[in-house]
Each structure stands twice: as structure tokens, then as C-alpha cells.
Amino acid sequence: MSTGYRIVKKEVYSSVTYMWEVEAPDVARAAQPGHFLMVRINEEGERIPLTVADFDRQRGTVTVVIQAVGKSTREMMALAEGDSILDFIGPLGEASHIQKRSKVILVGGGLGVAPVYPQLRAYKELGSTTLSIIGFRTKALVFWEEKFRAQSDELHIATDDGSYGHKGFVSQVLQMLLERHRDTEEVVAIGPLPMMRVCCDVSHPFGVRTMVSLNSIMVDGTGMCGSCRVTVGGKLKFACVDGPDFDGHQVDFDELMRRQRRFQREEQESLQQYEEECRLLGRTA
Amino acid sequence: MTTVKTIHTIPTGRTPMPEQAPQVRATNFEEVALGYTLPEALREADRCLECKKPRCIAGCPVGIDIPGFIRAIAQQDMRRAYEILRQDNPLPGVCGRVCPQESQCEVRCIVGIKAEPVCIGRLERFAADYAMAHFEAETPSMAPAGKKAAIIGSGPAGIACAADLARAGVDVTIFEALHMAGGVLKYGIPEFRLPKSIVDREIALLKQMGVTIELNTVIGKLFTIPQLMQEKGFDAVFVGTGAGFPKFQGIPGENLNGVFSANEFLTRVNLMRGFRHPEYDTPVGMGRQVAVIGAGNTAMDCARCALRMGAEAVTVVYRRTQKESPARAEELHHAMQEGIQFQWLTNPVQILGNADGWVSGMECIRMALGEPDASGRRAPVEQPGTNFVIPVDTVIYALGTRANPIIAKSTPGLKTNQWGYIELDEQTGMTSLPGVFAGGDIVTGSATVILALGAGRRAATGMLQYLGLRPAEASAEARAAKTGA
């Protein structure tokens, strides 16, 4: 590969979660919290939207955290530090509209922990009191605890199985914090769709604005294909150019969750084929 | 060559274009029209009367010297034929395939008055393909003019603008948002109508002229236009971003699984090579019974792609009649030959879904043509009580596009009209911002490749004037400016 974007650092957080720090000085210069990227690793690859998890303008790098769920993300996990990927396009979408809040709760679930981080840091820089909740299925999957702790006035960790921190879901911790901190001005919740939806249901009775980041299926990521369309407040929106951040209380999560299953069959087929190839070649998938 | 050609001495009928048989081509993505052989091209070139006052040129949005290039073919001077084409059109291989010649140059052909017009488009394609197969590209050497121009978008408008600027010695960089250059020629028009290798080789020639292409660069996001001019040292900017923002109808069921915009469907199939899934990773996600809404060229492309992707039945639904259909006659004809079904005077009222949220059918209503509307076309009127359901599992919207908002949002002071299209000064071709020009679909709304080329060339003329450079080929520019739009 003559051109491309080099993975300068790779960290593996679990059997399925990994971090890439990618050399892309122009993207790093323009990136803001809330932005996303389109990534394609090779000629045959698909374009995958990934939310910006961090950026370092001095180093000229952008960080993403990825979960190996399908063929492409497994293939990506097999890449090593020093390897290059073909396309790394961004920053895309509207940056998060971050304004000083006296108190804000930031909730990250699983992979969503990563994109919450730059928002947390931005709120902290503005002088907001930051209460963070990060949740994982189990202790072995926890990442960025220290990064979060450094920017949070309070950090709460939840695991589904209780192996670390609170036993249960981030939404339960959110409920508790909202009761305790009636002066909370905003909630940011990023993670799997069911988690964001429950967080929105929890915060709704408190009347606290709750922003979510929608990582819906996209092809181009620039407003061209409309694959990422989502109903927000009864209106048609494109997550790529109108979002990815939206007022979670307005999002039609039912529809979005259904739309996220559109390519399930093909994805399954691709994954099976990839696993079969890996078996034949004696590689680990 | 002493005998004078007249309508009575030339071969009467047009030389037919060799094509793949409909039943065969409906199952592959190979090019439908195979192109003239040398004898076929010579026969057709012989039909041109080489009129003293040709009318065809005025029908060409870029003002190609049509009798000139056809004469060169007739004289078997293919190099010259190609050079004549390239003078006015950086994409002859593309335009020879996708231009609506029947409503532009060929409709004005004088032979067409008494007989069938000369097949200008097929000859253009022949000359381009012949040159590519037989000649090494010559790299013209231009004296650097000491000016830098940025072109936003590598579609037809941007390519045309870049070519004219490069020819005048301007240091040109094209910024492309996608991972491939070519814009709609790559993501939109399917392989069987325009092989991507044709687009690639014409773009390669542009690079040989010294044009730099930066892929993966979304202007308005990675850099803004003010940054390009103030920080990156560009003296002028051309915005040729197209209008690819899909339109839906606003009827119930449009967000059901199985509903696509034409852009999404075509991008998955063409740009991402979804027709070769799983070798290529991007899935298309199409069902078996496909409805396409709209009857323009894009609708035909969708319908014919769907067929080639293995659809059992493909139905085009259009609220007017075949006569009002905006598609080229040839596209309609090809689609019908391949077995696409048409429901004219039919409009969708809602898309129906099953319990899992997938499309299960499309409810339509019959229409009738009423009184002419503001556009002069007879407005379609619903016929109450005629509702019926087409059993489909996939619906593709090909109702045109709107303006993409990214550039306008990120460029303070750039004037757009109420639909978001960029406004130009008619005299200079410049936008409301000094040094920033625009052309193609982002100015006019959805149009054709050749109109975008014409707009790109007009903008280049304006940019050269703005930059204080003399246009390299003033006569050709002026001709393009006069005949365009």
C-alpha cells in the first residue's frame, strides 16, 4: 500500500475490543467531540462508520475503539501496529454542541465508553461538574477507567454480572445519580441502542435533556445514500449530516433498531465465510 | 475525395450498435453496447455530410467540433479525431456512452431531416476507445501560470473545469470526498452502461496533465473553503459537489427495511462493488420483487441493476406516461427489452410492511393526466377508488436529488437559493464569494453529465479571467459558453 493511514498504536482491551491510534494529521486537526469517520481497510472492504474516541493534534493522530462483531471488524482486529489502512475519512457529522453545564452526567455503555470520552474532556475543560458512568458486561472488558477517572468528579462503573463496580446496568446507576443530583443539566448517553433507549426512558421523567450518538448503517457518510435515516421528533433525519448526536427523547428507537438489522443475513454469511477461510488457512479468526 | 456527399449518396440507415442479447445481458454486468468495429465506424462516419454550417455543434453543451472529428475518422486519422474531441471534452469515452445525443447534437443533424441522423455519440465512443487501445497518451507541457486552483468534487463538472485550468497552466488540485475519483460516473452509473475502466483511464489522462487528485477529502469538514483560500494558498475554488442528497416522497412506510434511495442502492452496487459480494464486503440487501419509483435514467439504472442482481421481477412505477418519462429513449428501450415491467400513470400512496418491519408490498393509485401545470406538463391527478397493491419486498426511490448541505453550511457568505443550490453571478459565473465558482448539479439541480461538463468549462473560463490568465483556447471556450445550458 503506497498511500494509506498508519496504525501507530494498537491496544487490545478484550477478545473482541481493540483500540487503534491512526496517523491522520489533517483529520486530527479538524476533529471535534461527536464527529465520526468512515474507514475502509482494503479494496474489497466496506466503509464502516466509527465515532471519534480521541484525537491528539500534536501527534497528528485520531483514536477509535472498535468491537469485532462482523467480518470487517474481525479483519481489522487482525491488523497490527504499523500496518496501514486504505481509507480514513473524516471528520464527519456535526460536532457535539457542548456548552458549559453546571453538572452533566456522561454515560458510556460497552464500546460507547470510547466516544463519550472526548465529550467528557470537553465538558471538564469548560468547568462543568462531570459525573461519569461506564458500563461493561464483565470486568475483563473494562477499559479507559483511569482516563475517565482523571476527567470525572465522580466515576461509577457498572458490570452486568457484578464482577466489578455496581452490579447491573448503567441505566440503573443513571437513575440513582439523577435522583441524587437534581441539578443535573444534561445527560450524554452513548452505547448500544437498547442501552441508549433505556437511559432516555430513565432521564425523561426528570426532564433532563439527554443526547445520544447514533451510529446507524451508512455507506458514504456524507449525506448521499440516506441509509442512516432515522426519525427524530417525527421528522426524517440523516444521522450522517444532521447528527450523529440527537436529542434522545425524540428518537424513534424501535424503528432504528429494526433498521440496524437490515443486513443481518448478509453479515452472517460474510462472517461464516471469513471464519471458514481462516480455518482453512490455519489463522485465528 | 472529389465527389460531393449528398443525402442521396450516403448510406441511408444508421449503422446499428452491436449489443449483448437482452436475455444474456440481463444476468451480467458487462457492457450492453459493444461499440463499433472499424468498418462499422467508417460506414457511419461516411454518413456525415460535413455540412458547411453544421447545426450539430450548437447542440453540444461543450461545443465539440463534430464534423471535424467525424471527418478525421472517415480519413482514418484516429489520432486527430481523438484530439479534436479532447480539445472540448475531457471525457469523450464517457460522453460517447451516456450523453443524450438524441436530444442534443443528433436531433439537429441535417441528415436527420430526410433520413436518420448520424450516430454522433457512437462515433465519439469509437474514437475514444480506439485512441485508448492504440495510442500512448501525449502529455501536453504547459508553462506554469503561477496560480493554484482547488476543485471540490471529481465528477464531470470538476473534471471539465480541472482540464481547462490545467491546460492554461494552473496548478490544479481536485478534492474528492469518496475513496474513488469520478463522482456520479463511479457511484451512480452502472458498469453495464459505463465500465469503470473507461472512467479511470480518462481520469488518468487528467492526472497526466498535472492535475492532483486528493481522495477521502470532504471539503467543509476536513478543510473549509475559507481555509483552502487563506491557509492552503488556493487562488480560486470551484465547487462541483453535485446534488446527491436523496429525495423521498414522504408517504408512510419509507423507513421500512427494504426501502432504498437510488443513491444507496447504486452506491452499494457500483462504487462498493456489491454486485460482487461476498468477494467485496459491502452487501446490497436486495429482495426478489423490486419496485422502482420514478422513470428517469437513474430509475432505469436501478431497475436494470436489480435485474442483474437476481431480482425475479422489477417494476417501474411512474405517475405520468411513457411519453413524459425523463429517461433516454434508449434506456427505456433497453430496460423493456430486458424484461423490466412498467406501471405508467401510477403513484405509490404507502409502503406496506410485515410484522418484522420488512417491505411486503406497495399500495398505489392510478393517475390520469389533467390540465397542464406551471411547467407546461399535464399534471397527474389521482383516480379515486383505483388503489391496488404491488407485491414487492424492495422499493427503490429514484425521484431525483436535492442539494447536499455540507458546503453551504461550512462556507459563511456563500449564497444559495431556497432549495440550497448555489447562486451564481450570470456575468462572471462566480458565487457570492470572490474567487469561488460553482457548476453542475449543485447549481442547477439534477441534470446530465454533459451539462455538468459544460458548466465546469464555463466556470473555468470565469476562473481564468478572475485569475488574470488568458484562456488557452478562447474560441472553444466561447463556443462552450454560448451553447451551454
Side-chain angles (χ1 to χ4, degrees):
Chain A
M1 247 176 268
S2 57
T3 54
Y5 302 82
R6 208 159 54 90
I7 302 164
V8 294
K9 194 169 166 197
K10 179 188 175 186
E11 282 177 13
V12 175
Y13 295 146
S14 76
S15 62
V16 290
T17 318
Y18 53 102
M19 179 280 274
W20 279 355
E21 188 178 344
V22 178
E23 194 170 59
D26 291 335
V27 183
R29 186 193 40 75
Q32 301 279 353
H35 276 145
F36 71 95
L37 313 148
M38 296 300 299
V39 175
R40 190 179 71 130
I41 56 168
N42 56 31
E43 265 322 308
E44 292 77 31
E46 50 185 336
R47 293 167 63 101
I48 297 176
L50 295 172
T51 314
V52 170
D54 205 353
F55 45 87
D56 185 329
R57 300 202 173 122
Q58 257 79 50
R59 280 167 62 83
T61 60
V62 177
T63 300
V64 287
V65 177
I66 308 160
Q67 196 160 21
V69 286
K71 189 229 172 186
S72 297
T73 43
R74 293 252 192 130
E75 235 180 330
M76 285 157 75
M77 194 167 182
L79 295 177
E81 223 166 76
D83 285 348
S84 286
I85 55 169
L86 205 50
D87 304 308
F88 193 78
I89 306 161
L92 298 170
E94 289 288 296
S96 306
H97 298 286
I98 295 175
Q99 45 185 309
K100 188 179 173 196
R101 301 290 193 188
S102 60
K103 193 173 280 180
V104 55
I105 303 179
L106 298 116
V107 192
L111 198 67
V113 165
V116 167
Y117 177 74
Q119 296 207 39
L120 164 66
R121 188 175 57 189
Y123 275 112
K124 197 69 226 161
E125 279 167 5
L126 286 172
S128 303
T129 298
T130 54
L131 313 176
S132 302
I133 310 167
I134 55 176
F136 303 88
R137 268 192 294 113
T138 185
K139 187 181 178 188
L141 300 176
V142 175
F143 65 90
W144 286 15
E145 180 182 348
E146 289 318 310
K147 249 177 120 138
F148 268 75
R149 197 174 301 283
Q151 305 284 346
S152 306
D153 292 282
E154 274 182 33
L155 174 64
H156 300 265
I157 299 174
T159 48
D160 298 2
D161 62 1
S163 53
Y164 194 50
H166 300 261
K167 181 180 184 335
F169 300 122
V170 286
S171 50
Q172 293 161 338
V173 183
L174 175 64
Q175 173 84 33
M176 185 184 81
L177 288 189
L178 283 168
E179 278 163 11
R180 208 186 286 164
H181 299 270
R182 294 283 172 167
D183 55 343
T184 301
E185 291 190 328
E186 182 150 338
V187 172
V188 176
I190 308 180
L193 288 173
M195 170 239 145
M196 289 194 281
R197 179 223 283 255
V198 175
C199 285
C200 290
D201 290 346
V202 165
S203 66
H204 194 258
F206 292 90
V208 181
R209 191 169 98 121
T210 301
M211 296 303 287
V212 296
S213 174
L214 304 181
N215 187 6
S216 40
I217 297 172
M218 300 177 184
V219 186
D220 63 294
T222 64
M224 208 176 81
C225 77
S227 190
C228 66
R229 61 192 188 275
V230 51
T231 305
V232 181
K235 293 202 174 74
L236 174 71
K237 298 284 179 189
F238 285 9
C240 64
V241 291
D242 298 316
D245 289 1
F246 291 101
D247 177 348
H249 294 147
Q250 307 288 321
V251 171
D252 184 341
F253 280 104
D254 279 336
E255 178 187 274
L256 184 57
M257 285 160 83
R258 205 189 62 223
R259 287 184 62 75
Q260 290 299 89
R261 291 196 293 267
R262 277 178 295 152
F263 300 97
Q264 222 167 26
R265 187 176 52 82
E266 288 91 340
E267 283 160 5
Q268 203 53 43
E269 283 168 7
S270 280
L271 184 59
Q272 276 166 5
Q273 190 176 340
Y274 177 68
E275 285 173 341
E276 183 60 28
E277 276 167 26
C278 287
R279 254 194 302 278
L280 290 171
L281 294 167
R283 283 199 311 248
T284 47
Chain B
M1 303 291 277
T2 47
T3 50
V4 175
K5 281 200 262 184
T6 72
I7 191 80
H8 304 294
T9 68
I10 63 169
T12 46
R14 319 182 96 190
T15 312
M17 177 61 112
E19 286 172 356
Q20 279 197 72
Q23 298 77 8
V24 175
R25 71 185 192 232
T27 62
N28 68 49
F29 273 84
E30 305 294 312
E31 198 168 7
V32 168
L34 303 172
Y36 280 161
T37 59
L38 179 61
E40 285 166 333
L42 293 175
R43 179 189 180 273
E44 189 59 27
D46 198 31
R47 296 184 66 237
C48 176
L49 292 178
E50 297 172 27
C51 307
K52 289 273 183 313
K53 289 184 184 165
R55 301 196 307 182
C56 48
I57 299 175
C60 175
V62 296
I64 290 172
D65 176 6
I66 293 167
F69 97 81
I70 295 181
R71 188 181 310 119
I73 293 178
Q75 293 167 353
Q76 302 204 38
D77 188 348
M78 302 307 171
R79 193 181 291 272
R80 204 164 66 83
Y82 182 62
E83 277 163 10
I84 293 171
L85 283 168
R86 289 271 309 172
Q87 262 171 31
D88 290 298
N89 184 351
L91 299 172
V94 170
C95 292
R97 289 172 165 82
V98 304
C99 253
Q101 293 95 7
E102 65 281 0
S103 60
Q104 295 181 155
C105 51
E106 293 178 9
V107 74
R108 299 177 188 227
C109 173
I110 288 170
V111 174
I113 298 169
K114 294 239 171 108
E116 289 178 311
V118 176
C119 296
I120 299 168
R122 293 172 185 178
L123 288 172
E124 180 182 26
R125 169 184 166 161
F126 173 81
D129 288 359
Y130 191 95
M132 288 292 179
H134 293 89
F135 308 138
E136 281 292 312
E138 284 175 34
T139 312
S141 56
M142 288 84 50
K147 299 284 183 187
K148 271 176 77 179
I151 310 268
I152 308 173
S154 64
I159 289 172
C161 186
D164 280 359
L165 292 177
R167 221 171 256 149
V170 176
D171 179 1
V172 180
T173 304
I174 301 182
F175 296 102
E176 166 57 45
L178 292 170
H179 58 261
M180 253 185 226
V184 72
L185 307 174
K186 280 284 177 64
Y187 73 76
I189 305 177
E191 189 73 24
F192 57 83
R193 204 149 73 80
L194 177 63
K196 300 309 145 209
S197 56
I198 305 292
V199 183
D200 283 337
R201 64 192 198 188
E202 298 201 325
I203 288 173
L205 286 178
L206 198 65
K207 289 191 193 163
Q208 280 176 25
M209 292 170 71
V211 173
T212 305
I213 302 182
E214 297 278 358
L215 302 174
N216 292 343
T217 307
V218 183
I219 300 298
K221 290 292 177 189
L222 192 64
F223 305 111
T224 61
I225 289 177
Q227 280 176 320
L228 289 177
M229 301 187 81
Q230 286 148 26
E231 294 169 25
K232 297 260 161 192
F234 288 100
D235 302 295
V237 173
F238 173 75
V239 183
T241 49
F245 198 83
K247 265 189 207 164
F248 294 91
Q249 245 183 319
I251 59 172
E254 285 178 346
N255 287 352
L256 286 166
N257 293 359
V259 182
F260 296 82
S261 72
N263 273 357
E264 179 179 2
F265 181 70
L266 292 174
T267 300
R268 285 180 180 279
V269 175
N270 300 324
L271 180 80
M272 303 311 297
R273 316 305 270 176
F275 68 93
R276 286 167 66 183
H277 180 79
E279 182 195 345
Y280 282 74
D281 291 333
T282 305
V284 177
M286 193 193 77
R288 301 248 164 235
Q289 317 280 334
V290 180
V292 178
I293 306 173
N297 290 323
T298 304
M300 296 310 118
D301 286 345
C302 291
R304 298 171 69 198
C305 277
L307 198 68
R308 285 159 172 78
M309 291 289 300
E312 285 160 9
V314 183
T315 308
V316 168
V317 173
Y318 184 54
R319 61 195 185 129
R320 293 182 157 101
T321 72
Q322 183 176 346
K323 209 173 117 230
E324 288 83 20
S325 147
R328 292 181 66 192
E330 181 183 302
E331 301 307 320
L332 278 173
H333 172 68
H334 277 153
M336 287 173 181
Q337 274 187 329
E338 289 168 13
I340 308 289
Q341 295 155 44
F342 288 82
Q343 293 272 3
W344 304 110
L345 290 169
T346 301
N347 207 27
V349 292
Q350 69 168 322
I351 302 167
L352 308 168
N354 63 22
D356 297 327
W358 285 85
V359 173
S360 61
M362 185 165 80
E363 184 184 334
C364 297
I365 190 166
R366 296 291 184 196
M367 311 293 279
L369 291 183
E371 295 301 309
D373 62 12
S375 72
R377 292 191 300 181
R378 292 176 62 192
V381 185
E382 288 188 356
Q383 302 296 290
T386 59
N387 294 39
F388 67 105
V389 172
I390 307 179
V392 291
D393 54 16
T394 303
V395 175
I396 302 170
Y397 269 90
L399 291 174
T401 53
R402 295 183 291 136
N404 187 301
I406 291 179
I407 292 281
K409 259 190 188 173
S410 63
T411 315
L414 184 70
K415 265 197 197 143
T416 56
N417 68 17
Q418 56 177 312
W419 300 283
Y421 297 117
I422 297 174
E423 287 188 354
L424 299 184
D425 178 301
E426 285 190 16
Q427 290 293 311
T428 61
M430 199 154 70
T431 67
S432 55
L433 292 175
V436 179
F437 294 74
D441 285 4
I442 192 60
V443 172
T444 57
S446 310
T448 59
V449 170
I450 190 69
L451 287 175
L453 281 172
R457 299 201 67 199
R458 274 198 304 287
T461 307
M463 289 167 85
L464 290 172
Q465 281 162 3
Y466 173 82
L467 295 170
L469 303 169
R470 285 175 59 84
E473 293 152 50
S475 61
E477 308 289 353
R479 222 165 44 220
K482 208 167 61 227
T483 56

